[in-house]
Amino acid sequence: AMRNSSRTMRHLSISQPLSSAGEKRMLFRDKPLTKQTSRCMVNAAVFAPRNMRTYLCLFDRTALVMPLASHFPVALEALRVNEKELLELATRKRVEFLLPQSIDRYPVSFVQKVAEAAPDALLMSRRLAAATVVDARRRAPILYPSLEIDQRRRLLEMMYLTSPSALTRALCRELGQIWISSEYQLHSRGAMATPSLGLAPILAAIFKEATGKEAFIELYSAGGSVEWASAIRATLFPIQTGTFSEQAACELYASLYSGIPDDPTPVTYGGTETVVGDLLSLDDDAPIMEVEEAFSKADLDRLSEVIKKIGDSSLNATTLRAAIDEMNEKVHAFEKRAEHLERLDLLTLVGAVSAAAFGDQTAVRLLPIGAWVAQYLLSKADPSLDPGGRLLDWARGINAWTTGDVVLVSRLKKKLG
């Protein structure tokens, strides 16, 4: 994999276009990077990630920036999986690995096992760098212009003369440094070069010129994660510890980086782990393979929508807690109504109609016809007739005076139970 990626970069010249925007990119070689595959990215190189069960409940695939060898045991503990389980998830195409640094910095024995069992799950440094440059060219073409050296110099000169100021001087200085060093840095450092060739140094220089404060380290770290996630079409889970969060920096960087109409840089999820765990009553140590097998792709897509809706509508931890409690109350109320409806079947219907024909008013009061239709027909319907389950969940929901989202959460909780 390393030889192939090196050969790709050896022939890379950023003064020429790399690809058209309409191409399907084959980074993880078994499947093109299209919007049909939901993917999240977690930078676990140094900082501890979240519980792996959170990611499995929301996305088809989880792209982990491979933990460095010195942090690998800590990462496994945070993910609540062991090495064997993580390898099995890779073979099932649920986990992929990004290796932006030199391979000797990673747990080499584990990388070898992945290379043997699931070679398509590895994305090496130079290939990731090439993909990031392709994506950056679409979103911020000024970073890698298809211009000769003299043309670049004249462009910077025109930019400064058009609006001479300290901020413009800082912008031109950083762009010039990026253009001068980009080819050498990409060839020598691979994907680790892309954060210093993106928007991070430009934003940091402008910020310092305006405020006198340094912000390069924060923007460099956030920028690398945002750019890599964007290159593989993944939603980014920002680094978050007890005392530090990259959420705000990542959201700022992503908003400035989204330069393509109808193709925004994937946004982050707020409070996701809390929502997933509390809604599904998910045990932190639930058997990982049972969690992986519990949900269909359609369930993942719909649950992701529900989680994001709750997270985006919550301004702080208090409102988030209130939204989760409200949803759980609705789920509990629906399940109580569903228990009552489970007693209805075709014989109940026949018996009630017969009794009503002979004047027994008690039996008539036990027969809500809509409830019978929903329970008898819909609860026993073949799920393959409704891909995604939206229609059946909707019908069961309106019969119990609730929404399809509530039915979905209830159904998934039972799968995990």
Side-chain angles (χ1 to χ4, degrees):
M2 291 186 68
R3 286 195 297 271
N4 291 339
S5 59
S6 299
R7 187 158 52 246
T8 299
M9 287 300 300
R10 195 171 296 127
H11 298 292
L12 170 64
S13 172
I14 62 172
S15 63
Q16 299 298 324
L18 293 179
S19 73
S20 65
E23 286 185 8
K24 287 185 177 179
R25 287 167 285 158
M26 296 288 287
L27 298 181
F28 298 102
R29 290 172 295 172
D30 62 303
K31 190 169 185 177
L33 292 182
T34 63
K35 294 183 179 179
Q36 282 67 49
T37 302
S38 66
R39 186 183 262 108
C40 70
M41 194 198 87
V42 182
N43 193 338
V46 175
F47 292 95
R50 294 175 171 88
N51 192 317
M52 176 60 77
R53 292 151 188 80
T54 299
Y55 312 130
L56 293 179
C57 288
L58 293 172
F59 296 91
D60 297 336
R61 303 189 181 190
T62 299
L64 288 176
V65 177
M66 180 75 79
L68 300 179
S70 57
H71 294 79
F72 191 54
V74 175
L76 290 178
E77 182 179 353
L79 290 167
R80 300 294 182 94
V81 297
N82 57 42
E83 187 176 312
K84 182 179 179 181
E85 290 170 334
L86 192 59
L87 181 62
E88 178 62 23
L89 289 172
T91 62
R92 296 187 183 194
K93 304 186 186 303
R94 295 301 305 275
V95 173
E96 302 157 333
F97 301 98
L98 278 59
L99 286 76
Q101 299 198 39
S102 174
I103 194 169
D104 60 284
R105 300 205 64 192
Y106 296 110
V108 177
S109 63
F110 179 71
V111 174
Q112 288 175 335
K113 292 176 183 177
V114 176
E116 293 174 1
D120 293 333
L122 293 172
L123 183 57
M124 310 305 285
S125 180
R126 298 180 186 277
R127 204 171 184 196
L128 176 59
T132 304
V133 171
V134 171
D135 191 63
R137 265 193 162 160
R138 297 168 57 235
R139 298 185 181 278
I142 194 68
L143 294 174
Y144 302 97
S146 300
L147 299 173
E148 300 298 332
I149 293 177
D150 182 59
Q151 293 174 315
R152 296 180 186 185
R153 183 194 63 78
R154 286 190 284 123
L155 178 60
L156 290 177
E157 184 180 25
M158 286 187 291
M159 289 172 61
Y160 179 71
L161 294 177
T162 301
S163 178
S165 67
L167 295 181
T168 306
R169 183 169 60 249
L171 169 64
C172 293
R173 182 180 64 246
E174 295 304 322
L175 273 177
Q177 288 294 328
I178 290 171
W179 293 347
I180 289 172
S181 64
S182 55
E183 293 195 16
Y184 172 76
Q185 285 207 52
L186 288 168
H187 281 282
S188 61
R189 300 179 61 206
M192 291 305 294
T194 57
S196 60
L197 301 175
L199 296 181
I202 297 173
L203 296 176
I206 293 175
F207 182 76
K208 183 178 181 180
E209 195 68 45
T211 66
K213 298 179 181 179
E214 289 281 358
F216 178 76
I217 294 177
E218 292 83 355
L219 290 169
Y220 176 91
S221 177
S225 295
V226 170
E227 291 179 10
W228 295 339
S230 178
I232 63 172
R233 294 188 181 276
T235 296
L236 173 65
F237 278 82
I239 294 170
Q240 198 158 10
T241 68
T243 58
F244 172 72
S245 173
E246 267 191 350
Q247 181 90 23
C250 287
E251 290 182 353
L252 169 65
Y253 198 100
S255 66
L256 296 172
Y257 194 59
S258 296
I260 303 298
D262 302 320
D263 188 19
T265 303
V267 296
T268 57
Y269 279 61
T272 307
E273 190 166 26
T274 300
V275 181
V276 171
D278 289 354
L279 276 189
L280 299 179
S281 302
L282 187 61
D283 186 351
D284 285 349
D285 296 310
I288 192 71
M289 294 309 162
E290 292 183 13
V291 175
E292 190 274 331
E293 294 169 351
F295 305 152
S296 66
K297 182 184 184 306
D299 289 337
L300 291 175
D301 292 342
R302 291 185 56 204
L303 181 61
S304 181
E305 293 175 10
V306 174
I307 300 299
K308 189 173 186 301
K309 189 188 305 180
I310 293 175
D312 288 351
S313 63
S314 304
L315 301 178
N316 51 48
T318 302
T319 55
L320 181 64
R321 180 74 264 167
I324 293 172
D325 290 343
E326 181 182 1
M327 175 62 85
N328 280 328
E329 288 175 4
K330 291 179 179 178
V331 170
H332 181 65
F334 164 74
E335 289 172 347
K336 287 184 66 176
R337 295 189 189 108
E339 289 176 7
H340 169 70
L341 296 179
E342 283 177 0
R343 293 192 294 268
L344 299 173
D345 58 18
L346 185 57
L347 292 178
T348 305
L349 175 67
V350 173
V353 172
S354 176
F358 291 97
D360 186 347
Q361 298 301 316
T362 303
V364 176
R365 290 198 299 271
L366 296 177
L367 182 65
I369 186 63
W372 175 78
V373 171
Q375 169 59 24
Y376 181 70
L377 294 181
L378 300 181
S379 70
K380 300 176 182 179
D382 182 355
S384 65
L385 299 176
D386 178 31
R390 285 185 184 272
L391 184 58
L392 288 174
D393 286 349
W394 170 83
R396 292 165 184 159
I398 60 168
N399 181 68
W401 304 285
T402 189
T403 66
D405 289 347
V406 172
V407 179
L408 170 70
V409 173
S410 174
R411 180 162 58 80
L412 297 184
K413 284 178 68 175
K414 289 179 179 179
K415 281 188 175 183
L416 290 172

